Short mmCIF file of all heavy atoms in Angstrom, two decimals:
data_model
loop_
_atom_site.label_atom_id
_atom_site.label_comp_id
_atom_site.label_asym_id
_atom_site.label_seq_id
_atom_site.Cartn_x
_atom_site.Cartn_y
_atom_site.Cartn_z
N GLU A 115 -65.63 -181.66 -80.27
CA GLU A 115 -65.48 -182.02 -78.84
C GLU A 115 -66.12 -181.05 -77.94
O GLU A 115 -66.73 -181.44 -76.93
CB GLU A 115 -64.00 -182.06 -78.62
CG GLU A 115 -63.27 -183.29 -79.30
CD GLU A 115 -61.75 -183.31 -79.07
OE1 GLU A 115 -61.21 -182.53 -78.26
OE2 GLU A 115 -61.07 -184.06 -79.83
N ARG A 116 -66.05 -179.80 -78.23
CA ARG A 116 -66.72 -178.77 -77.35
C ARG A 116 -68.33 -178.99 -77.42
O ARG A 116 -68.92 -179.11 -76.32
CB ARG A 116 -66.50 -177.38 -77.77
CG ARG A 116 -67.15 -176.24 -76.99
CD ARG A 116 -66.93 -174.88 -77.59
NE ARG A 116 -67.35 -174.75 -78.96
CZ ARG A 116 -68.55 -174.62 -79.35
NH1 ARG A 116 -69.67 -174.56 -78.44
NH2 ARG A 116 -68.93 -174.39 -80.59
N LEU A 117 -68.85 -179.20 -78.58
CA LEU A 117 -70.32 -179.34 -78.74
C LEU A 117 -70.78 -180.64 -78.02
O LEU A 117 -71.74 -180.64 -77.30
CB LEU A 117 -70.73 -179.35 -80.23
CG LEU A 117 -70.53 -178.13 -81.00
CD1 LEU A 117 -70.62 -178.37 -82.51
CD2 LEU A 117 -71.62 -177.12 -80.53
N GLN A 118 -70.01 -181.69 -78.13
CA GLN A 118 -70.38 -182.97 -77.55
C GLN A 118 -70.30 -182.87 -75.97
O GLN A 118 -71.11 -183.47 -75.31
CB GLN A 118 -69.57 -184.10 -78.19
CG GLN A 118 -70.03 -184.66 -79.36
CD GLN A 118 -71.30 -185.40 -79.38
OE1 GLN A 118 -71.95 -185.55 -78.34
NE2 GLN A 118 -71.83 -185.86 -80.47
N ALA A 119 -69.25 -182.16 -75.54
CA ALA A 119 -69.09 -182.03 -74.03
C ALA A 119 -70.25 -181.23 -73.50
O ALA A 119 -70.77 -181.62 -72.45
CB ALA A 119 -67.76 -181.37 -73.69
N GLU A 120 -70.70 -180.16 -74.17
CA GLU A 120 -71.84 -179.39 -73.69
C GLU A 120 -73.12 -180.17 -73.76
O GLU A 120 -73.94 -180.10 -72.84
CB GLU A 120 -71.88 -178.07 -74.54
CG GLU A 120 -70.78 -177.17 -74.35
CD GLU A 120 -70.81 -175.97 -75.19
OE1 GLU A 120 -71.75 -175.65 -75.86
OE2 GLU A 120 -69.76 -175.22 -75.19
N LEU A 121 -73.26 -180.95 -74.84
CA LEU A 121 -74.55 -181.75 -74.90
C LEU A 121 -74.57 -182.81 -73.83
O LEU A 121 -75.60 -182.99 -73.19
CB LEU A 121 -74.57 -182.44 -76.35
CG LEU A 121 -75.78 -183.37 -76.55
CD1 LEU A 121 -77.12 -182.67 -76.32
CD2 LEU A 121 -75.69 -184.01 -77.95
N SER A 122 -73.49 -183.45 -73.58
CA SER A 122 -73.44 -184.47 -72.59
C SER A 122 -73.68 -183.89 -71.19
O SER A 122 -74.53 -184.43 -70.43
CB SER A 122 -72.01 -185.17 -72.48
OG SER A 122 -71.95 -186.06 -71.44
N GLN A 123 -73.17 -182.72 -70.96
CA GLN A 123 -73.35 -182.05 -69.56
C GLN A 123 -74.75 -181.67 -69.42
O GLN A 123 -75.41 -181.96 -68.42
CB GLN A 123 -72.47 -180.86 -69.47
CG GLN A 123 -72.68 -180.08 -68.09
CD GLN A 123 -71.78 -178.92 -67.92
OE1 GLN A 123 -70.93 -178.68 -68.78
NE2 GLN A 123 -72.05 -178.14 -66.96
N LEU A 124 -75.40 -181.02 -70.40
CA LEU A 124 -76.77 -180.58 -70.43
C LEU A 124 -77.74 -181.90 -70.24
O LEU A 124 -78.61 -181.85 -69.44
CB LEU A 124 -77.15 -179.73 -71.52
CG LEU A 124 -76.61 -178.34 -71.46
CD1 LEU A 124 -76.85 -177.58 -72.76
CD2 LEU A 124 -77.22 -177.58 -70.26
N SER A 125 -77.41 -182.89 -71.02
CA SER A 125 -78.27 -184.09 -70.98
C SER A 125 -78.29 -184.66 -69.61
O SER A 125 -79.33 -185.01 -69.10
CB SER A 125 -77.80 -185.07 -72.02
OG SER A 125 -77.89 -184.62 -73.35
N HIS A 126 -77.08 -184.77 -68.93
CA HIS A 126 -76.99 -185.27 -67.54
C HIS A 126 -77.74 -184.39 -66.58
O HIS A 126 -78.47 -184.87 -65.65
CB HIS A 126 -75.55 -185.50 -67.23
CG HIS A 126 -74.86 -186.67 -67.71
ND1 HIS A 126 -75.27 -187.97 -67.30
CD2 HIS A 126 -73.99 -186.79 -68.65
CE1 HIS A 126 -74.51 -188.88 -67.90
NE2 HIS A 126 -73.76 -188.19 -68.78
N GLU A 127 -77.65 -183.02 -66.82
CA GLU A 127 -78.28 -182.17 -65.91
C GLU A 127 -79.80 -182.15 -66.05
O GLU A 127 -80.61 -181.97 -65.11
CB GLU A 127 -77.82 -180.78 -66.15
CG GLU A 127 -76.36 -180.56 -65.62
CD GLU A 127 -75.78 -179.19 -65.96
OE1 GLU A 127 -76.50 -178.34 -66.58
OE2 GLU A 127 -74.61 -178.99 -65.80
N GLU A 128 -80.37 -182.22 -67.30
CA GLU A 128 -81.72 -182.01 -67.57
C GLU A 128 -82.57 -183.29 -67.74
O GLU A 128 -83.81 -183.20 -67.82
CB GLU A 128 -81.82 -181.21 -68.85
CG GLU A 128 -81.27 -179.76 -68.68
CD GLU A 128 -81.16 -179.04 -69.97
OE1 GLU A 128 -81.51 -179.54 -71.06
OE2 GLU A 128 -80.77 -177.90 -69.97
N GLU A 129 -81.96 -184.45 -67.87
CA GLU A 129 -82.71 -185.64 -68.23
C GLU A 129 -82.53 -186.71 -67.16
O GLU A 129 -81.53 -187.47 -67.15
CB GLU A 129 -82.24 -186.24 -69.55
CG GLU A 129 -82.38 -185.22 -70.84
CD GLU A 129 -81.77 -185.68 -72.00
OE1 GLU A 129 -81.69 -186.91 -72.26
OE2 GLU A 129 -81.32 -184.82 -72.80
N PRO A 130 -83.52 -186.81 -66.24
CA PRO A 130 -83.35 -187.80 -65.12
C PRO A 130 -83.38 -189.23 -65.58
O PRO A 130 -82.79 -190.09 -64.89
CB PRO A 130 -84.52 -187.45 -64.31
CG PRO A 130 -85.59 -186.77 -65.18
CD PRO A 130 -84.72 -186.01 -66.13
N GLY A 131 -83.78 -189.54 -66.81
CA GLY A 131 -83.81 -190.96 -67.24
C GLY A 131 -82.53 -191.32 -68.02
O GLY A 131 -82.38 -192.46 -68.39
N LEU A 132 -81.64 -190.33 -68.17
CA LEU A 132 -80.30 -190.67 -68.72
C LEU A 132 -79.32 -191.39 -67.72
O LEU A 132 -79.16 -190.80 -66.66
CB LEU A 132 -79.61 -189.36 -69.26
CG LEU A 132 -78.31 -189.53 -69.90
CD1 LEU A 132 -78.24 -190.31 -71.10
CD2 LEU A 132 -77.68 -188.11 -70.03
N VAL A 133 -78.86 -192.46 -68.06
CA VAL A 133 -77.86 -193.18 -67.12
C VAL A 133 -76.55 -192.78 -67.49
O VAL A 133 -75.75 -192.42 -66.53
CB VAL A 133 -78.09 -194.73 -67.26
CG1 VAL A 133 -77.04 -195.45 -66.39
CG2 VAL A 133 -79.47 -195.10 -66.99
N VAL A 134 -76.18 -192.72 -68.75
CA VAL A 134 -74.72 -192.33 -69.09
C VAL A 134 -74.77 -191.78 -70.57
O VAL A 134 -75.65 -192.35 -71.36
CB VAL A 134 -73.78 -193.57 -69.05
CG1 VAL A 134 -74.12 -194.64 -69.95
CG2 VAL A 134 -72.34 -193.08 -69.23
N TYR A 135 -73.92 -190.84 -70.75
CA TYR A 135 -73.79 -190.29 -72.11
C TYR A 135 -72.26 -189.95 -72.20
O TYR A 135 -71.85 -188.92 -71.63
CB TYR A 135 -74.64 -189.08 -72.38
CG TYR A 135 -74.57 -188.51 -73.80
CD1 TYR A 135 -75.68 -188.70 -74.61
CD2 TYR A 135 -73.38 -187.76 -74.23
CE1 TYR A 135 -75.62 -188.14 -76.01
CE2 TYR A 135 -73.42 -187.33 -75.57
CZ TYR A 135 -74.56 -187.48 -76.40
OH TYR A 135 -74.40 -187.00 -77.59
N ASP A 136 -71.50 -190.75 -72.83
CA ASP A 136 -70.07 -190.55 -72.96
C ASP A 136 -69.71 -190.32 -74.25
O ASP A 136 -70.16 -191.01 -75.22
CB ASP A 136 -69.26 -191.88 -72.41
CG ASP A 136 -69.39 -192.03 -70.87
OD1 ASP A 136 -69.53 -191.02 -70.22
OD2 ASP A 136 -69.18 -193.13 -70.46
N PHE A 137 -68.68 -189.38 -74.55
CA PHE A 137 -68.09 -188.98 -75.82
C PHE A 137 -66.61 -189.36 -75.71
O PHE A 137 -65.99 -188.78 -74.77
CB PHE A 137 -68.44 -187.57 -76.13
CG PHE A 137 -67.85 -187.15 -77.40
CD1 PHE A 137 -68.38 -187.55 -78.52
CD2 PHE A 137 -66.82 -186.26 -77.44
CE1 PHE A 137 -67.81 -187.25 -79.91
CE2 PHE A 137 -66.25 -185.79 -78.65
CZ PHE A 137 -66.86 -186.27 -79.79
N ILE A 138 -66.17 -190.16 -76.56
CA ILE A 138 -64.83 -190.56 -76.50
C ILE A 138 -64.13 -190.52 -77.86
O ILE A 138 -64.79 -190.57 -78.93
CB ILE A 138 -64.66 -192.04 -75.93
CG1 ILE A 138 -65.53 -192.97 -76.72
CG2 ILE A 138 -64.95 -192.04 -74.41
CD1 ILE A 138 -65.47 -194.38 -76.24
N ARG A 139 -62.89 -190.38 -77.87
CA ARG A 139 -61.89 -190.19 -79.07
C ARG A 139 -61.24 -191.49 -79.31
O ARG A 139 -60.67 -191.98 -78.33
CB ARG A 139 -61.05 -188.98 -78.82
CG ARG A 139 -60.14 -188.76 -80.07
CD ARG A 139 -59.19 -187.53 -79.84
NE ARG A 139 -58.69 -187.42 -78.52
CZ ARG A 139 -58.80 -186.44 -77.69
NH1 ARG A 139 -59.43 -185.33 -78.10
NH2 ARG A 139 -58.25 -186.47 -76.44
N HIS A 140 -61.17 -191.96 -80.58
CA HIS A 140 -60.40 -193.15 -80.91
C HIS A 140 -58.92 -192.85 -80.63
O HIS A 140 -58.46 -191.90 -80.99
CB HIS A 140 -60.64 -193.46 -82.41
CG HIS A 140 -60.24 -194.83 -82.83
ND1 HIS A 140 -58.94 -195.32 -82.92
CD2 HIS A 140 -61.00 -195.97 -83.03
CE1 HIS A 140 -58.87 -196.54 -83.17
NE2 HIS A 140 -60.19 -196.96 -83.30
N LYS A 141 -58.31 -193.89 -80.13
CA LYS A 141 -56.84 -193.80 -79.75
C LYS A 141 -55.97 -193.67 -80.96
O LYS A 141 -54.96 -192.94 -80.89
CB LYS A 141 -56.41 -194.98 -79.00
CG LYS A 141 -56.34 -194.82 -77.53
CD LYS A 141 -55.77 -195.98 -76.73
CE LYS A 141 -54.54 -195.56 -76.00
NZ LYS A 141 -54.48 -195.88 -74.67
N ASP A 142 -56.26 -194.40 -82.10
CA ASP A 142 -55.45 -194.45 -83.08
C ASP A 142 -55.82 -193.92 -84.43
O ASP A 142 -55.04 -193.70 -85.45
CB ASP A 142 -55.00 -196.02 -83.39
CG ASP A 142 -54.43 -196.64 -82.17
OD1 ASP A 142 -53.50 -195.92 -81.51
OD2 ASP A 142 -54.76 -197.85 -81.86
N LYS A 143 -57.14 -193.66 -84.55
CA LYS A 143 -57.70 -193.04 -85.76
C LYS A 143 -58.14 -191.53 -85.56
O LYS A 143 -59.13 -191.25 -84.97
CB LYS A 143 -58.86 -193.84 -86.20
CG LYS A 143 -58.61 -195.26 -86.58
CD LYS A 143 -59.82 -196.03 -86.91
CE LYS A 143 -59.53 -197.57 -87.09
NZ LYS A 143 -60.80 -198.32 -87.43
#
Side-chain angles (χ1 to χ4, degrees):
E115 291 174 12
R116 177 186 59 77
L117 291 165
Q118 281 287 359
E120 292 174 14
L121 176 58
S122 177
Q123 180 180 349
L124 286 172
S125 295
H126 280 288
E127 291 172 2
E128 299 173 352
E129 300 172 32
L132 175 66
V133 177
V134 64
Y135 186 105
D136 287 337
F137 179 68
I138 53 179
R139 179 178 42 233
H140 197 286
K141 259 186 123 131
D142 301 319
K143 296 179 183 176

